[in-house]
Amino acid sequence: MAVALAARRLWVPAVLGPRPAWISHDAERRHLPPVTPPAKYGGRHTVTLIPGDGIGPELMLQVKEVFRHACVPVDFEEVRVGAEAPEDDVHNAIMAIRRNGVALKGNIETNHNLPPSHKSRNNLIRTSLDLYANVIHCRSLPGVETRHRDIDILIVRENTEGEYSSLEHESVAGVVESLKIITAGRSRRIAHYAFRLARAARARAVTAVHKANIMKLGDGLFLQCCREVAGEYPEIGFESMIVDNTTMQLVSRPQQFDVMVMPNLYGNVVNNVCAGLGGGPGLVPGANYGHDYAVFETATRNTGKSIANRNIANPTAALLAACMMLDHLRLHNHASTIRQAVLSSLDDPRTHTPDIGGQGTTSGAVQSIIAHLPRA
């Protein structure tokens, strides 16, 4: 089964193809995948590593261990950013990503008890680097018991505006206005990304998720832009679905979905629902793409603080996110080797961590993955 899963390599943005010489710079910024940083230092790549909070640091150590055994030509430049890190630390991390072009990241906790002036460190990184496309690939994995089987959904989430625009104010005491920003340019940009991804995947259809029946201007604009863009891809079907119906359809018949595109907040909700369908947050990887930079992390952006330092965190999502990063760097053989080892390891229930019903440990799961790597 692992071999069948590997056939649809939608974690590979490179499949979208090279940039034709006739495409203008503005068109590139709207529609095309991020630039792959060139290798240096004898074919090696330097990647920014942000361990984050909670289980992030221990999972990043396990990624390094697997990379060492797989002889992956990647060197990590580690930058520490925590929940209450000063903005200078965040800017140092952003500069490191600008320098290297790629980052692997654990989630940074966003504490809702901090004052309104405190900005989410995760959101600062995404918006500063214009990482406009959040992509997760939710699929059934071998050896993992779930209610539904044969799930294979690509979710494309607009990552830079919507409810995450951080524009709030208290107009009078006890009345808060929180602004949701939807723009035609960014809506078309994310729609083009979703359709190009669907074309590369030979997908049947793209479903736009919205609430235009209530937010007729904001979500209405998003839906209109998606419809207009759909006309440029006649070989791919286009459907639209209201967000509340979407969540019901996902938990009842997820196999009906192929590629989904949506604004920011709906993407957060749908990502988490799909992660649950696939077996939990420890299994699903994610990626954030802009034109110039890419940041890879787990799909649900969960710190897992309650299980940190207990050696029971599931390393699957972090390792699969690292494989997505390797594919982005065009290290496809290394990505395929590690991914195959991860999927093969899941066939053994003894390696399953508590989140998927087992009694295994993080280190035990990683040792099993290493054992499945081909010997040099």
Side-chain angles (χ1 to χ4, degrees), residues 182-234:
I182 299 289
T183 62
R186 294 189 179 190
S187 296
R188 290 192 188 99
R189 179 172 70 170
I190 198 66
H192 273 290
Y193 192 98
F195 274 93
R196 288 177 63 84
L197 205 56
R199 176 181 283 171
R202 300 175 185 171
R204 174 189 57 82
V206 172
T207 302
V209 179
H210 65 93
K211 192 66 176 172
N213 58 324
I214 301 298
M215 285 170 275
K216 299 182 186 299
L217 291 178
D219 281 25
L221 175 61
F222 178 83
L223 184 56
Q224 175 190 339
C225 290
C226 288
R227 283 186 176 134
E228 290 172 357
V229 169
E232 301 181 34
Y233 303 84

Side-chain angles (χ1 to χ4, degrees), residues 20-322:
W22 50 266
I23 293 182
S24 70
H25 182 69
D26 287 343
E28 285 189 324
R29 297 193 68 83
R30 287 197 299 271
H31 310 324
L32 294 179
V35 176
T36 300
K40 47 193 171 184
Y41 310 127
R44 299 187 69 83
H45 291 267
T46 302
V47 169
T48 302
L49 181 70
I50 304 173
D53 294 317
I55 59 177
E58 58 194 283
L59 293 181
M60 294 303 108
L61 284 174
Q62 300 296 351
V63 169
K64 286 182 176 180
E65 181 72 0
V66 172
F67 274 29
R68 184 175 69 84
H69 282 271
C71 300
V72 177
V74 164
D75 300 308
F76 289 109
E77 178 187 358
E78 188 167 322
V79 183
R80 295 276 175 173
V81 180
E84 298 183 29
E87 287 201 16
D88 283 349
D89 286 359
V90 182
H91 292 309
N92 288 338
I94 291 168
M95 289 303 296
I97 299 171
R98 289 187 193 278
R99 183 164 55 248
N100 298 320
V102 180
L104 182 64
K105 172 180 166 295
N107 197 37
I108 303 165
E109 183 181 7
T110 300
N111 188 340
H112 67 275
N113 294 316
L114 292 172
S117 59
H118 182 88
K119 297 180 180 179
S120 161
R121 278 35 188 151
N122 300 293
N123 203 32
L124 270 176
I125 291 171
R126 293 194 293 269
T127 54
S128 298
L129 298 170
D130 195 26
L131 301 173
Y132 66 89
N134 173 240
V135 182
I136 81 163
H137 190 180
C138 177
R139 56 207 168 95
S140 300
L141 295 179
V144 179
E145 294 283 339
T146 56
R147 183 179 296 274
H148 297 283
R149 300 301 301 166
D150 302 319
I151 300 172
D152 189 0
I153 309 171
L154 272 161
I155 301 156
V156 180
R157 167 188 178 184
E158 206 294 319
N159 222 11
T160 60
E161 57 177 13
E163 296 84 354
Y164 288 67
S165 301
S166 299
L167 297 172
E168 295 183 306
H169 60 272
E170 189 172 27
S171 50
V172 296
V175 178
V176 172
E177 293 179 307
S178 182
L179 303 182
K180 170 179 176 173
I181 308 299
I182 299 289
T183 62
R186 294 189 179 190
S187 296
R188 290 192 188 99
R189 179 172 70 170
I190 198 66
H192 273 290
Y193 192 98
F195 274 93
R196 288 177 63 84
L197 205 56
R199 176 181 283 171
R202 300 175 185 171
R204 174 189 57 82
V206 172
T207 302
V209 179
H210 65 93
K211 192 66 176 172
N213 58 324
I214 301 298
M215 285 170 275
K216 299 182 186 299
L217 291 178
D219 281 25
L221 175 61
F222 178 83
L223 184 56
Q224 175 190 339
C225 290
C226 288
R227 283 186 176 134
E228 290 172 357
V229 169
E232 301 181 34
Y233 303 84
E235 76 278 17
I236 300 170
F238 175 70
E239 301 165 356
S240 63
M241 190 175 289
I242 294 172
V243 63
D244 34 326
N245 183 34
T246 300
T247 56
M248 180 186 70
Q249 294 293 332
L250 277 168
V251 299
S252 58
R253 194 164 61 87
Q255 297 85 357
Q256 69 185 283
F257 295 104
D258 202 350
V259 177
M260 307 172 76
V261 62
M262 61 209 73
N264 211 333
L265 181 61
Y266 309 154
N268 188 20
V269 174
V270 169
N271 281 356
N272 280 270
V273 171
C274 285
L277 290 172
L283 295 172
V284 186
N288 305 281
Y289 299 113
H291 173 69
D292 298 306
Y293 312 107
V295 174
F296 300 86
E297 61 187 348
T298 58
T300 63
R301 300 171 178 172
N302 188 335
T303 61
K305 186 166 64 173
S306 63
I307 60 169
N309 302 313
R310 294 172 57 191
N311 196 29
I312 58 172
N314 193 328
T316 303
L319 285 165
L320 291 179

